[in-house]
Amino acid sequence: MKKIIIAAHFLIAVASYGQGFLHRDGQNIVDGNGKNIILRGLGLGGWMVQEGYMLQTQPFASPQYQIKQKIQDVVGEQGTKEFYAAYKANGITKRDIDSLAKWGFNSVRLPMHYNLYTPSIQEEKNGEITFLEEGFTMTDNLAKWCAENKMYLILDLHAAPGGQGNDAAISDYDTTKPSLWNSEANQKKMIALWKKLASRYRDNQWIGGYDIINEPNWNFTGTNKNGCDENSNGPLRDLMVAVTKAIREVDPNHLVIIEGNCWGNNYNGIFPLWDENMALSFHKYWNYNTVGSIQKMLDYRKQYNVPIWLGESGENSNVWFKDVLTLVEGNNIGWAFWPMKKIENIAGVTSVTKIPEYDVLLKYWKDGGQKPTPEFAKKTLMKMADNYKMENVTVKPDVVDAMFRQVQTNDTKPYKKHVIPGKIAATQYDLGTNGYAYSDKDFINYRVETGNFDQWNKGNTMRNDGVDILPCKDSGSNGYQVSFIEDGEWLQFTSEVEKQGKYKVAIRYSSEKAEGKLHFETADGKKSESIVLPATGGNDKWKTIVLSNVELQAGTNKIKAVFEKGGFNLNYLDFTKAKK
């Protein structure tokens, strides 16, 4: 009888694959037609699970439960409910998923908080396990939007019952309560939740897989609190085996994705694998983009004949993005970047605008002092929730360009259409990578190797390249300026020149003490004279100096502003036709 049941499951699975379910085929992830699929995805971080660094509360409230306590302190219980209702309603909508599809993503990774699907064990009565509709409804809607865009949705249990890691912000771990690993009740709840999810989505071919536990980081027998020196990982393996068994009782169709300890990367003791339809996930941040950096995962893929997937990456410069995606796609590895929305973010595809009133709340939460009125606090929080709407965020075209176009080519393209005669903002240099669209000496962060957080962009505003950009209050600016300019750096501006001839360039700049120097070069080899930029006496004291006889051809010109000597700030370049 057991053999008959197994055979039936196998036949169901084969039939289901024919309908389009993603599944393992040896070392590849393929669709129902056997086509190899490279997942290009984005993680919807912050929507169901808030992390302090995304909301700028990290110094004093990093896990979500602490953030919620801070909010409740200023607006009360009812105000908190209203804020979270708006935050979740605005955070991800059909417009968001439509946008991701348009930009080139073919998948979405959903970081789930268990408490949207089932109450905590402290809230349950008599040890029973019950379910909540909110999380399932949110997931249903998201799955529908993904299906309409022919995108795969990967379910990721980001915050497991009790919390699965000592890095509390990731899993909303409350150290005053039993963790996932210290509570059999929490583990049973996690198993039951996955069985419920699998039962609900077993027939949905646009559900790409079940990422059953995100970034466990826990010391079972080792000394490293995040599990990086664990050699057995027995409790983690046992729990993942139990979850998989529960899933397979109701769903033979979907890919099961597992993660190791130490933020997903320590697979010691996890093997051998226990299911025929699995993939291994690993996470990659702040290290070199060499084959050596992923060699262990490549070895696992070959040794255990299993697909591997870069389930999370990001939080670096555009150059790093291009390099890591070139590396993994060149090795037949799909990916999901992180995150979708974050306040004042340059390293993501969108940025949520911070209003000045929110800084008032942050200061109170951090330092105390006079408490904001409930009316002020609620109005501020509801406005911030409104800013999470897709129509209100700032889309970052340079990040999207780096993740898709720049992976294919070193060619540059205009950030926006520049016409000469006309004014060009310094920050609107070409889209492209370092050495092609611009040249900057600090353009990437290798924190793992250096031990330091190396700023790739000292200004941390507007764009995510190496070029350092700050807000600008000078008249005639687009709100931003290029700053921290070093000797030998340059910017390229692709421009449409109306008439061939010589042009004057009005250079708007400032500098406190340094004397700058620059010249212009074009792709056809023409080089202007150099011009010295005398110190203006302050970074906020702007002056204009004119360089004459810059020769340009009619049509498309790629014009480099080459900074022979740095130390100044650059607002804009204004090209006018020189008089004969």
Side-chain angles (χ1 to χ4, degrees):
M1 178 61 72
K2 185 176 179 181
K3 290 182 179 179
I4 294 173
I5 293 172
I6 292 172
H9 277 307
F10 176 76
L11 291 173
I12 291 171
V14 170
S16 298
Y17 292 156
Q19 298 171 18
F21 288 95
L22 287 188
H23 62 283
R24 167 190 164 267
D25 182 6
Q27 298 177 25
N28 300 317
I29 295 174
V30 302
D31 65 13
N33 297 315
K35 179 184 176 182
N36 186 60
I37 299 295
I38 297 290
L39 293 169
R40 299 179 176 95
L42 195 69
L44 306 183
W47 186 38
M48 286 187 169
V49 187
Q50 292 177 322
E51 296 182 40
Y53 87 99
M54 297 184 190
L55 282 80
Q56 299 189 352
T57 64
Q58 186 173 21
F60 49 86
S62 205
Q64 180 174 277
Y65 80 91
Q66 293 178 351
I67 298 169
K68 190 172 183 178
Q69 288 170 355
K70 294 292 184 182
I71 291 171
Q72 191 160 328
D73 174 56
V74 292
V75 297
E77 185 175 349
Q78 183 59 33
T80 301
K81 288 180 180 179
E82 292 177 27
F83 164 73
Y84 275 99
Y87 179 89
K88 286 178 284 191
N90 298 340
I92 299 297
T93 65
K94 184 178 185 300
R95 183 167 177 171
D96 292 85
I97 305 307
D98 292 346
S99 297
L100 292 178
K102 181 180 178 181
W103 297 336
F105 293 96
N106 65 8
S107 54
V108 167
R109 180 173 180 249
L110 174 63
M112 303 180 296
H113 197 308
Y114 84 91
N115 68 12
L116 294 171
Y117 301 84
T118 181
S120 68
I121 58 172
Q122 290 80 16
E123 297 172 291
E124 298 280 30
K125 296 179 180 179
N126 302 320
E128 62 180 324
I129 296 175
T130 60
F131 295 98
L132 305 170
E133 191 57 33
E134 182 179 13
F136 293 102
T137 299
M138 293 169 72
T139 309
D140 287 348
N141 290 335
L142 180 59
K144 179 175 181 290
W145 302 330
C146 287
E148 289 170 351
N149 283 287
K150 293 182 169 54
M151 299 174 72
Y152 292 104
L153 173 60
I154 296 166
L155 305 185
D156 151 41
L157 187 55
H158 216 76
Q164 69 268 28
N166 281 309
D167 191 345
I170 295 171
S171 62
D172 196 22
Y173 170 43
D174 183 346
T175 57
T176 67
K177 298 174 181 178
S179 75
L180 175 69
W181 308 112
N182 295 328
S183 166
E184 184 180 357
N186 276 327
Q187 294 181 28
K188 286 182 177 179
K189 180 173 279 287
M190 175 177 162
I191 295 167
L193 173 57
W194 269 116
K195 186 171 184 178
K196 186 78 169 180
L197 287 163
S199 177
R200 192 176 185 107
Y201 300 115
R202 58 168 288 161
D203 297 320
N204 189 330
Q205 68 175 4
W206 291 110
I207 299 293
Y210 303 141
D211 187 354
I212 58 180
I213 184 168
N214 174 72
E215 289 190 352
N217 56 99
W218 195 266
N219 54 321
F220 302 113
T221 60
T223 59
N224 181 279
K225 71 173 186 177
N226 298 117
C228 298
D229 62 355
E230 288 292 332
N231 288 315
S232 65
N233 287 310
L236 174 58
R237 186 184 196 276
D238 291 345
L239 181 58
M240 292 194 296
V241 169
V243 168
T244 307
K245 180 181 178 182
I247 289 172
R248 292 295 180 236
E249 288 174 0
V250 295
D251 181 356
N253 300 323
H254 285 100
L255 189 68
V256 169
I257 302 167
I258 63 171
E259 300 187 27
N261 206 343
C262 186
W263 295 285
N265 296 307
N266 179 352
Y267 277 90
N268 294 333
I270 300 299
F271 303 107
L273 299 177
W274 51 90
D275 189 87
E276 289 298 312
N277 192 22
M278 297 180 73
L280 309 182
S281 174
F282 66 104
H283 294 188
K284 190 177 193 301
Y285 287 99
W286 310 303
N287 58 5
Y288 292 138
N289 288 313
T290 61
V291 173
S293 71
I294 61 170
Q295 189 61 57
K296 182 173 284 189
M297 296 306 300
L298 294 173
D299 292 344
Y300 287 151
R301 178 170 69 180
K302 183 177 180 180
Q303 181 177 356
Y304 298 104
N305 194 34
V306 63
I308 57 177
W309 174 59
L310 177 55
E312 203 177 290
S313 189
E315 302 292 8
N316 214 312
S317 70
N318 288 337
V319 174
W320 195 89
F321 291 173
K322 174 186 175 175
D323 289 349
V324 71
L325 296 181
T326 300
L327 172 68
V328 296
E329 289 200 17
N331 283 279
N332 190 35
I333 302 169
W335 48 270
F337 257 48
W338 184 265
M340 175 70 178
K341 294 178 181 177
K342 191 170 72 172
I343 293 174
E344 298 299 325
N345 181 26
I346 65 167
V349 295
T350 71
S351 175
V352 178
T353 301
K354 181 173 66 171
I355 59 176
E357 293 85 351
Y358 188 63
D359 276 326
V360 175
L361 287 185
L362 293 176
K363 188 175 188 308
Y364 167 71
W365 285 332
K366 181 176 182 290
D367 301 326
Q370 185 173 353
K371 186 175 183 178
T373 66
E375 294 76 18
F376 172 88
K378 184 177 179 182
K379 184 178 180 181
T380 299
L381 288 167
M382 295 305 284
K383 174 58 179 170
M384 287 301 301
D386 191 64
N387 284 357
Y388 274 81
K389 291 179 179 176
M390 190 64 196
E391 57 264 37
N392 294 334
V393 301
T394 300
V395 176
K396 298 294 185 177
D398 59 301
V399 176
V400 176
D401 190 69
M403 295 172 71
F404 291 98
R405 190 187 66 85
Q406 291 178 37
V407 173
Q408 307 300 323
T409 179
N410 285 323
D411 291 346
T412 63
K413 62 181 289 188
Y415 184 84
K416 65 170 293 186
K417 185 176 181 180
H418 298 307
V419 178
I420 294 175
K423 186 168 70 173
I424 300 174
T427 56
Q428 293 174 346
Y429 57 91
D430 285 357
L431 292 168
T433 197
N434 194 47
Y436 294 89
Y438 66 93
S439 179
D440 195 279
K441 294 181 180 178
D442 302 308
F443 56 89
I444 207 162
N445 177 15
Y446 295 126
R447 189 191 309 179
V448 172
E449 283 79 9
T450 66
N452 301 311
F453 185 86
D454 301 318
Q455 288 282 1
W456 65 87
N457 188 312
K458 296 184 182 68
N460 200 37
T461 56
M462 187 180 169
R463 297 179 66 168
N464 193 44
D465 298 313
V467 179
D468 306 301
I469 297 174
L470 288 173
C472 182
K473 296 181 179 179
D474 182 37
S475 61
S477 78
N478 67 336
Y480 299 97
Q481 67 195 42
V482 174
S483 297
F484 306 104
I485 296 171
E486 296 186 47
D487 298 356
E489 294 180 341
W490 52 263
L491 303 173
Q492 177 177 281
F493 304 90
T494 298
S495 308
E496 297 301 318
V497 178
E498 292 181 350
K499 292 183 180 181
Q500 179 179 346
K502 293 183 178 180
Y503 286 80
K504 295 190 299 183
V505 186
I507 303 162
R508 187 70 172 174
Y509 77 101
S510 71
S511 64
E512 188 168 5
K513 297 179 181 178
E515 184 179 81
K517 189 176 183 181
L518 67 77
H519 70 265
F520 295 95
E521 297 177 5
T522 56
D524 60 1
K526 291 186 173 62
K527 179 178 177 180
S528 76
E529 294 181 352
S530 298
I531 188 169
V532 172
L533 310 178
T536 64
N539 288 323
D540 58 350
K541 293 183 178 180
W542 294 88
K543 290 186 178 180
T544 302
I545 193 167
V546 177
L547 175 62
S548 300
N549 299 321
V550 177
E551 190 171 343
L552 301 174
Q553 300 294 321
T556 302
N557 284 245
K558 290 186 179 291
I559 306 167
K560 285 183 182 178
V562 181
F563 310 127
E564 298 174 39
K565 291 181 64 177
F568 61 94
N569 308 294
L570 186 61
N571 180 350
Y572 61 78
L573 307 169
D574 194 358
F575 290 78
T576 57
K577 195 75 168 66
K579 293 181 180 180
K580 293 182 180 180

